[in-house]
Amino acid sequence: MFVYYAHREPRAEGEAVPRPSSPILSADRIADAAIALVDAGKAFGVNALARELGVTPSSLYNHVEGRDAIVELMRGRLAVRAAISVPDGLAWDAVVAYVVRSQRAMFAEHPLVLPLLVGKPVTDVTVLGYYEALAEALLSAGFPDDEVLVIVAVLDAFALGSGLDLSAPPEVWQAEPGSALGRLVAGGEPGQVRADRAFDLGVDLLLASLRARLAGA
Amino acid sequence: MFVYYAHREPRAEGEAVPRPSSPILSADRIADAAIALVDAGKAFGVNALARELGVTPSSLYNHVEGRDAIVELMRGRLAVRAAISVPDGLAWDAVVAYVVRSQRAMFAEHPLVLPLLVGKPVTDVTVLGYYEALAEALLSAGFPDDEVLVIVAVLDAFALGSGLDLSAPPEVWQAEPGSALGRLVAGGEPGQVRADRAFDLGVDLLLASLRARLAGA
DNA sequence: ACCTGAACACCGTTCAAGT
DNA sequence: ACCTGAACACCGTTCAAGT
């Protein structure tokens, strides 16, 4: 739906030079600044972003189709920066673990960005590549066609939910002292550590069952 | 942090009656209208909400402490309306399945509300009750103290991620025709059906592994 | 081509005034 | 006690003007 400018080509010798002599902005620079803004805990907004870039809000519209387009650019930049490439020769379950862990690591580095992305369609080609890698691994494992996509959805839901764990405040559950939950929260590890352990455990649990399912069929 | 007015007590006989003779608004009525607004696919906002209620935006501030407080009220109303009460005498894994399924059903009825809630602390007592029920079931099953909270976090992450699946557009993955993913998406069930199947499968996979883990220890 | 500055409709919030 | 209406600072977006 949204189309934004591609990167500028390096200017040819003697080509007419507009002002400013070299452009201040680009789609990538805007996306990177937006990520930095949100990472810093500030509220995302076109005006705040322009301020951060030392530029007028309307300038951004030369490079980007508005607020929503910037958010989609952020998703793309995160994916490109994470640059997940699955090593060759891994067994299917190792591939699944690798991709899911990489995705979660990407979220973990920018936890505050994640809430901006939820509920929007995924069109970014890099992100789709991750799902493709998962699908191919599961197909090679021998899962039937009509199950593969369902399993990908399970893994995706878990990775997303685990990532959102990190964008919540350190103690998500403000439990009452008298409750079992309250006792466990008080006696247990801090929320961040627990979130990490929960992610690892969840991956283990899911993979164990998937292996069993494959063996049983 | 935010404090909002409690429900009005029924007025005593002969008590002075202010205008309007019976109040138009209440915290619950505001929250319900907000949920209805978002369910209808319209963007959430104080002004839009006031318009829907046939009232001036500033009126809302007599009952509610602003935009964020309204969102937290929405979470509470969803939980109260869902009114999850776990039947007595269920085995621990049945309790877990029941609670997680109920949570997801709650999300499924109001998928567009969910993105508003993510990344904010959970203080609502009804919602905390669900986590409490999970924790108690896992403790009774014999899971060690330091694992229970981690398992609750796993289940929560999965339920949340699965709920968000539903707030995304029908086809989340805009995959290319040539890819394995594209072939599966084209040949498979629609996104909504797949999301349901994925949730069921995920619960099964997680519970199967948890049972095995308990037996193995 | 790229940025500025003025303008617009709209947002969330405050507060004095009305009943 | 509860709602209105005016006011404020701010938001996202458009567009003519400058270089």
Side-chain angles (χ1 to χ4, degrees):
Chain A
M1 185 64 83
F2 285 117
V3 177
Y4 39 85
Y5 290 6
H7 301 185
R8 302 198 76 250
E9 298 285 70
R11 224 184 306 282
E13 203 72 34
E15 188 190 345
V17 178
R19 295 173 196 194
S21 59
S22 96
I24 304 176
L25 299 176
S26 72
D28 280 353
R29 213 178 302 214
I30 290 171
D32 285 337
I35 293 170
L37 178 74
V38 174
D39 281 348
K42 296 170 200 162
F44 173 69
V46 175
N47 293 16
L49 179 55
R51 229 173 285 129
E52 211 77 17
L53 283 161
V55 115
T56 254
S58 52
S59 311
L60 303 180
Y61 289 76
N62 288 296
H63 303 268
V64 147
E65 291 243 334
R67 194 200 141 99
D68 286 352
I70 298 175
V71 171
E72 188 55 24
L73 279 177
M74 293 168 78
R75 189 203 302 273
R77 284 298 285 170
L78 284 192
V80 165
R81 287 210 228 148
I84 302 173
S85 68
V86 185
D88 284 340
L90 292 183
W92 72 270
D93 51 351
V95 173
V96 168
Y98 185 91
V99 171
V100 176
R101 276 178 215 287
S102 301
Q103 235 178 324
R104 145 93 182 190
M106 179 178 88
F107 294 152
E109 285 176 41
H110 308 278
L112 298 177
V113 175
L114 199 45
L116 291 175
L117 305 179
V118 301
K120 310 211 169 149
V122 179
T123 59
D124 184 85
V125 60
T126 312
V127 175
L128 286 173
Y130 301 161
Y131 295 118
E132 176 74 13
L134 284 177
E136 284 173 4
L138 292 167
L139 284 172
S140 80
F143 286 102
D145 269 26
D146 66 330
E147 262 191 12
V148 166
L149 226 47
V150 177
I151 298 174
V152 171
V154 169
L155 296 168
D156 185 46
F158 179 66
L160 177 62
S162 300
L164 285 169
D165 249 21
L166 296 167
S167 57
E171 285 313 327
V172 225
W173 302 320
Q174 317 273 4
E176 315 217 12
S179 61
L181 197 64
R183 181 175 64 80
L184 293 172
V185 168
E189 320 148 297
Q192 216 66 279
V193 178
R194 186 176 60 239
D196 287 343
R197 276 190 58 197
F199 175 73
D200 288 336
L201 177 61
V203 173
D204 287 349
L205 295 176
L206 289 172
L207 278 180
S209 280
L210 286 176
R211 276 185 220 104
R213 189 181 185 80
L214 207 56
Chain B
M1 184 63 84
F2 285 117
V3 177
Y4 39 84
Y5 290 5
H7 301 184
R8 303 200 76 248
E9 296 285 68
R11 225 183 306 282
E13 204 71 35
E15 188 190 343
V17 178
R19 305 185 185 185
S21 58
S22 98
I24 304 176
L25 299 177
S26 72
D28 279 354
R29 214 178 303 214
I30 291 171
D32 285 338
I35 293 170
L37 178 73
V38 175
D39 280 350
K42 295 170 201 164
F44 173 69
V46 176
N47 292 17
L49 179 54
R51 228 173 285 130
E52 212 77 16
L53 283 161
V55 115
T56 255
S58 52
S59 311
L60 303 180
Y61 289 76
N62 288 297
H63 303 268
V64 147
E65 292 242 333
R67 193 198 141 98
D68 286 354
I70 298 176
V71 171
E72 188 56 23
L73 280 177
M74 291 167 79
R75 189 203 301 275
R77 283 298 285 170
L78 284 191
V80 166
R81 287 210 227 148
I84 302 174
S85 67
V86 185
D88 283 339
L90 291 184
W92 72 269
D93 51 351
V95 173
V96 168
Y98 186 90
V99 171
V100 175
R101 275 177 213 287
S102 301
Q103 237 177 321
R104 145 94 182 190
M106 178 178 88
F107 294 153
E109 285 176 41
H110 308 278
L112 298 177
V113 176
L114 199 46
L116 291 175
L117 306 179
V118 301
K120 311 213 168 146
V122 178
T123 60
D124 184 84
V125 62
T126 311
V127 175
L128 286 172
Y130 301 161
Y131 295 119
E132 177 74 12
L134 285 177
E136 285 174 4
L138 293 166
L139 284 172
S140 79
F143 286 102
D145 270 26
D146 66 330
E147 261 190 12
V148 166
L149 227 47
V150 177
I151 298 173
V152 171
V154 169
L155 297 168
D156 185 47
F158 179 67
L160 177 62
S162 300
L164 285 168
D165 248 20
L166 296 167
S167 57
E171 285 313 326
V172 225
W173 303 318
Q174 316 274 6
E176 315 216 15
S179 62
L181 197 63
R183 181 175 63 82
L184 293 171
V185 169
E189 319 148 299
Q192 216 65 282
V193 178
R194 185 177 60 237
D196 287 343
R197 277 190 57 196
F199 175 73
D200 289 335
L201 176 61
V203 173
D204 287 348
L205 295 176
L206 289 172
L207 277 180
S209 280
L210 286 176
R211 276 185 220 105
R213 189 181 186 83
L214 207 55

